[in-house]
Amino acid sequence: MENNGRLDPQQLLMALLQTGQGRHKVYLGYAPGVGKTQQMLKDALALKAQGVDIVVGWFDIHGRPGMEGLLEPLEVIAPKLVTYQGVAVPLLDVEAIRLRRPATVLVDELAYRNPPGYPRRYQEVQQLLEAGISVFSTVNIQHLERQAPAASRILDQPVGETVPDLMVLSADEVRVLDLSPADLRERLKAIYGREVSHSPLFLESTLNYLRELALRTVAEKVDLQILSEENPGVAGPAGVRERILVAISTNPDAQRLIRRGGLKAQRLDAEFFVLYVENHPLNPQDQTTLQAHIRLAESLGAQFIRYRARDISGALLAFIRERHITQVILGESLRSPWEVFMHGGSIIHRLLRNTSNLDVLIVGETESTGSLCPLAPPIAPVPPAQLGHHKVYIGAAPGVGKTFAMLQTAQALQKQGVDVVAGVIETHGRAQTAALMEGLTVIPKRIVAYQGRRFEEFDLEAVLQRHPRVVLVDELAHTNIPSRQNFNTKRYQDVQTLLSQGIDVISTVNIQHLESLNVLVERTTGVRVRETVPDRILEEAEITLIDLTPEELQERMREGKIYSLAKVEQALQNFFRRENLSALRELALREVADTLEPTTCSTPTQDCILVCVKDDHPQLIYRGARIARRYSGNGPGGTAQLVVVYVGPAKPGVQNIAQRTSEMEGVFVHRTASLYSSQRIAQEIAAVAQTYAVTQIVLGESRHPLVKELLFGSVTDNLVRQVRNLDLLIVGTLRASARYTPS
């Protein structure tokens, strides 16, 4: 996605800190039909039932069935009519709403452009907010000013109606309405009675692009909200968004580093900085080169920073701490071991030893082609597509409405004549959820005796015998009670069995159960999640995010809609704290965005990511797997292979490394040596990199004593000298004090 024209984070933070009298809630979608207006109406009816004075200021149902019924119980403020070019045009009657003075007003289509001479719709909303009236509004992502140019190019037509980004990003609440492209097209077909895929807007590639923009925009909003809440004075540690820094010299080759940083910032939707530390006066030629660097950096949306300081590494370290940088991009260090010894370690190790949760990317001397090496061992063939289709509803926390959405989908399918059954549904005593099970065929659970107790479990065998078209399987991460009838230890394995038999499955899961995020979730929330689901299960599924703001989720909790009232206060003080919910929500938004088909690269690439481990380090393997997954699909025919290498003697933990690599669909390589010096280990890694035509190496921060590294050099230092054409990503230690940083 494009990031040029990024708004100043300081400006956004100041807007978030401003407290107006009226509260603004925005329902954001990525295309018409995702359900923004319908959800706004449902929320309005719920508030009305609680006694809130709520009215409709502007609404357009676009002929969609069912909307009239939702609109009917609400009071509507009639639009005013104005004459433009001899035609009567209806407008939002701001003055009538001010006189009526409701607590909240619904204003559909925030980007609507009134006739010339009249305020824009978003300006009318601003007037209402300033008058102390809260507003619910709707908008699609392509109508935000920053996103409109990119959306216009992909749609091949101009986006004429736009809204300033601040109008959305400074809103009190933004809720994204997510829907898979397949579901969206089915919904629109049901509404209009015809296919809509012929429209440029509803091409799958276009929808994926716009969907990613919407998800990442809300993630950015959540990040800024976290920052403003943690730091009322604006200064202080940043939120959970990536912040990439390229450190450059006046060498012309620095332009390659800047371009690499720009590409990475674009891929990760990261803030992008370019830093030049001037420790001596520049001659005219260096001045010219530096100006070229500045122009390139600014053209890629970077903030160019120029420091004057004698100690380059000290200035670099200060900037990293000040701006809370999460990844530094450097050129290769060509210092000799003697120079490293005299300076007390390389810049890389000085950075890693004095920071928390910082990654350092050392860019190789040449650009890798990514072509597969003919000497590489054959990569295992991709298994054939599963016969059954898997749809997953994912959320940030319990209570967001995943099971509810799954049951709504099941009811709709049943009305269409589809044979759908409920295999396992966990209502947790929620009346509204239980009501949606009415009319559905329920497969009774089987009773399992274990350690003197009796448990109810999903009856996989009964579903296989019944062989419905679709089965509902709640709580994908559940661990099965051991039994003779079912040899699967996890519920996701039950789902895989059903899919292999041609049965479609609809399931639910929370983001904290995703295996590769397990440790990050624990450090963010303080809660250890023991039941996990491998990333590949979601990668192979159709995913829909069920989004809910922390305010709404906590309100549901207080009303007893999630847990019993006796557990509410304890939950709000622990897992359901606002900061936890915000961080988990951002994780969910970014995770779903990451699963979408990349659209930024037009040429195929073949990458190979090599992860170097010296013990059973699951997070490093997960990190490499996530990088490989992100690079897969870059352009038509793009692929990315994961290889994990362990250089050392055979020991019990080696089998665990091999197993984790297999789970991540990677290739495990074990190399032994007569002498395990840092130089010899680096040689073995370099040999594996050559064999597999590796394009990037990932390794952890060195933990050897500093004196040993200064005398003999670390594995990193030796590896840099042996693979100068490759990129090295050094993953810093995730210390307990560090906040979560996305992969």
Side-chain angles (χ1 to χ4, degrees):
M1 58 181 285
E2 301 209 0
N3 296 305
N4 292 348
R6 181 179 301 285
L7 294 175
D8 181 3
Q10 194 85 352
Q11 180 188 13
L12 291 171
L13 282 171
M14 293 306 298
L16 285 167
L17 292 168
Q18 293 172 359
T19 55
Q21 289 181 295
R23 289 179 58 83
H24 189 198
K25 181 172 182 177
V26 178
Y27 296 83
L28 179 70
Y30 69 90
V34 295
K36 307 178 301 296
T37 304
Q38 187 179 58
Q39 188 62 54
M40 181 172 68
L41 280 173
K42 288 180 178 179
D43 289 351
L45 290 173
L47 287 175
K48 180 178 173 64
Q50 296 171 20
V52 176
D53 182 16
I54 193 163
V55 303
V56 176
W58 180 270
F59 213 84
D60 194 338
I61 61 175
H62 297 287
R64 296 172 187 171
M67 289 291 193
E68 296 93 339
L70 291 172
L71 190 59
E72 187 176 354
L74 296 169
E75 177 186 346
V76 178
I77 304 294
K80 65 179 180 181
L81 295 177
V82 299
T83 302
Y84 176 69
Q85 294 183 344
V87 178
V89 179
L91 296 182
L92 176 70
D93 198 335
V94 174
E95 196 55 41
I97 296 171
R98 279 175 169 168
L99 291 172
R100 168 64 176 75
R101 199 162 186 80
T104 303
V105 59
L106 310 187
V107 181
D108 207 7
E109 299 182 343
L110 189 61
Y112 183 82
R113 185 186 295 273
N114 289 326
Y118 294 92
R120 299 280 299 278
R121 175 67 50 78
Y122 73 83
Q123 292 171 326
E124 295 173 327
V125 166
Q126 287 175 318
Q127 293 173 16
L128 293 171
L129 293 170
E130 290 167 3
I133 300 171
S134 295
V135 179
F136 286 2
S137 63
T138 65
V139 71
N140 280 325
I141 188 63
Q142 60 266 35
H143 295 293
L144 266 64
E145 279 184 351
R146 184 180 54 171
Q147 314 295 6
S152 296
R153 286 194 294 275
I154 196 170
L155 291 170
D156 199 25
Q157 60 186 31
V159 176
E161 300 169 335
T162 60
V163 173
D165 294 61
L166 269 177
M167 192 68 195
V168 173
L169 293 179
S170 64
D172 297 277
E173 294 182 52
V174 177
R175 180 172 177 181
V176 64
L177 275 297
D178 188 41
L179 202 64
S180 72
D183 280 347
L184 176 59
R185 285 196 291 266
E186 281 298 313
R187 176 182 288 185
L188 293 176
K189 183 180 177 181
I191 293 173
Y192 299 114
R194 57 183 173 82
E195 293 284 353
V196 295
S197 57
H198 63 277
S199 168
L201 175 58
F202 295 104
L203 295 173
E204 184 171 1
S205 59
T206 303
L207 293 176
N208 274 329
Y209 182 85
L210 295 174
R211 187 183 179 199
E212 182 183 358
L213 286 181
L215 291 166
R216 293 197 187 281
T217 297
V218 179
E220 179 180 345
K221 152 74 178 173
V222 176
D223 180 21
L224 289 163
Q225 190 74 51
I226 293 171
L227 178 53
S228 67
E229 290 171 358
E230 290 182 349
N231 306 278
V234 178
V240 299
R241 186 171 170 206
E242 284 272 22
R243 289 167 174 83
I244 293 174
L245 170 66
V246 175
I248 65 166
S249 67
T250 53
N251 189 315
D253 195 51
Q255 297 225 348
R256 186 163 56 88
L257 299 182
I258 297 171
R259 284 193 292 269
R260 175 63 65 85
L263 177 61
K264 199 166 186 65
Q266 184 183 59
R267 278 181 172 177
L268 302 182
D269 186 30
E271 285 189 53
F272 181 26
F273 303 89
V274 175
L275 174 68
Y276 170 69
V277 180
E278 183 179 331
N279 65 345
H280 63 274
L282 297 181
N283 59 43
Q285 182 178 351
D286 286 345
Q287 286 281 11
T288 302
T289 303
L290 186 62
Q291 288 303 315
H293 294 347
I294 294 172
R295 288 193 296 271
L296 176 61
E298 292 178 345
S299 72
L300 295 175
Q303 297 181 48
F304 190 93
I305 311 294
R306 185 173 178 177
Y307 272 5
R308 287 183 171 86
R310 290 183 178 181
D311 180 7
I312 294 178
S313 58
L316 179 59
L317 185 59
F319 183 84
I320 289 168
R321 288 170 170 167
E322 175 189 339
R323 299 298 181 100
H324 310 283
I325 300 299
T326 59
Q327 185 166 133
V328 177
I329 298 178
L330 302 170
E332 294 193 76
S333 173
L334 301 181
R335 279 182 177 176
S336 67
W338 175 250
E339 289 177 305
V340 171
F341 178 79
M342 293 301 294
H343 285 84
S346 66
I347 290 178
I348 299 166
H349 290 107
R350 287 188 66 184
L351 293 180
L352 291 172
R353 289 181 184 278
N354 291 281
T355 58
S356 180
N357 201 18
L358 176 74
D359 294 347
V360 177
L361 177 66
I362 307 171
V363 176
E365 290 180 343
T366 60
E367 297 291 347
S368 173
T369 61
S371 58
L372 292 176
C373 175
L375 299 177
I379 295 171
V382 178
Q386 294 169 320
L387 294 173
H389 179 72
H390 190 195
K391 177 183 291 187
V392 179
Y393 289 100
I394 188 169
V400 297
K402 304 178 301 298
T403 305
F404 192 87
M406 178 173 67
L407 288 169
Q408 284 183 317
T409 300
Q411 291 286 358
L413 289 172
Q414 185 161 272
K415 288 179 181 179
Q416 297 170 22
V418 176
D419 181 18
V420 56
V421 303
V424 56
I425 300 294
E426 304 293 350
T427 65
H428 299 288
R430 298 164 193 163
Q432 288 182 319
T433 303
L436 276 173
M437 293 183 65
E438 186 176 346
L440 292 177
T441 300
V442 178
I443 303 296
K445 295 179 180 178
R446 59 187 176 88
I447 304 299
V448 178
Y450 181 68
Q451 295 183 346
R453 298 176 59 190
R454 294 165 64 84
F455 299 88
E456 291 186 336
E457 284 284 21
F458 173 52
D459 196 336
L460 174 63
E461 195 60 39
V463 176
L464 290 172
Q465 290 178 4
R466 170 71 167 69
H467 208 282
R469 184 71 186 88
V470 180
V471 61
L472 312 182
V473 181
D474 214 357
E475 298 191 353
L476 195 60
H478 174 78
T479 300
N480 294 330
I481 300 295
S483 71
R484 294 180 180 178
Q485 294 90 345
N486 188 357
F487 295 100
N488 292 332
T489 59
K490 303 288 291 186
R491 187 166 288 169
Y492 72 78
Q493 295 171 327
D494 293 340
V495 167
Q496 289 177 307
T497 301
L498 293 167
L499 294 170
S500 69
Q501 297 301 309
I503 300 173
D504 291 350
V505 179
I506 305 177
S507 62
T508 66
V509 73
N510 283 323
I511 192 64
Q512 63 264 33
H513 294 291
L514 195 60
E515 194 169 46
S516 66
L517 299 177
N518 188 251
V519 171
L520 298 177
V521 168
E522 181 180 7
R523 294 201 182 265
T524 302
T525 65
V527 177
R528 176 69 169 171
V529 178
R530 302 194 181 279
E531 294 184 315
T532 60
V533 175
D535 292 48
R536 69 176 185 276
I537 302 299
L538 267 66
E539 290 166 14
E540 296 165 354
E542 175 190 338
I543 299 177
T544 293
L545 173 70
I546 305 301
D547 184 44
L548 205 64
T549 65
E551 296 89 347
E552 290 174 303
L553 191 54
Q554 288 184 328
E555 186 60 29
R556 283 190 183 185
M557 176 66 74
R558 294 187 184 95
E559 293 172 356
K561 293 181 179 179
I562 301 175
Y563 298 149
S564 64
L565 290 174
K567 299 179 180 178
V568 167
E569 284 306 316
Q570 181 182 1
L572 290 173
Q573 294 299 318
N574 292 285
F575 187 82
F576 280 80
R577 297 196 310 271
R578 182 187 172 92
E579 59 268 28
N580 280 357
L581 297 177
S582 294
L584 290 170
R585 184 185 181 206
E586 182 172 10
L587 268 178
L589 288 159
R590 293 192 185 278
E591 182 63 29
V592 176
D594 287 347
T595 64
L596 302 182
E597 186 76 20
T599 56
T600 57
C601 185
S602 59
T603 57
T605 60
Q606 292 179 314
D607 293 279
C608 185
I609 310 301
L610 177 64
V611 177
C612 309
V613 295
K614 61 180 180 181
D615 51 27
D616 185 11
H617 194 332
Q619 289 309 311
L620 204 57
I621 298 173
Y622 294 151
R623 181 68 178 272
R626 291 170 71 82
I627 292 171
R629 185 185 72 183
R630 181 165 287 176
Y631 287 176
S632 289
N634 277 351
T639 59
Q641 174 69 52
L642 172 68
V643 178
V644 177
V645 60
Y646 164 72
V647 181
K651 57 183 181 180
V654 176
Q655 188 56 42
N656 292 337
I657 300 172
Q659 178 62 31
R660 293 186 192 280
T661 304
S662 177
E663 290 172 356
M664 296 293 108
E665 298 182 350
V667 175
F668 176 65
V669 179
H670 180 194
R671 289 290 184 100
T672 57
S674 57
L675 177 66
Y676 294 107
S677 65
S678 58
Q679 185 176 9
R680 184 58 188 273
I681 292 172
Q683 288 174 347
E684 293 292 340
I685 293 171
V688 173
Q690 183 178 15
T691 301
Y692 283 88
V694 165
T695 53
Q696 182 171 317
I697 298 177
V698 179
L699 61 160
E701 176 185 341
S702 174
R703 295 173 187 167
H704 293 301
L706 181 59
V707 173
K708 182 178 178 180
E709 289 188 1
L710 293 178
L711 290 173
F712 304 107
S714 67
V715 172
T716 304
D717 293 331
N718 283 285
L719 197 54
V720 165
R721 291 179 173 83
Q722 295 190 46
V723 289
R724 288 184 173 174
N725 62 318
L726 298 183
D727 291 351
L728 271 69
L729 177 64
I730 306 166
V731 178
T733 300
L734 184 62
R735 301 182 176 89
S737 61
R739 287 201 55 198
Y740 151 73
T741 300
S743 302

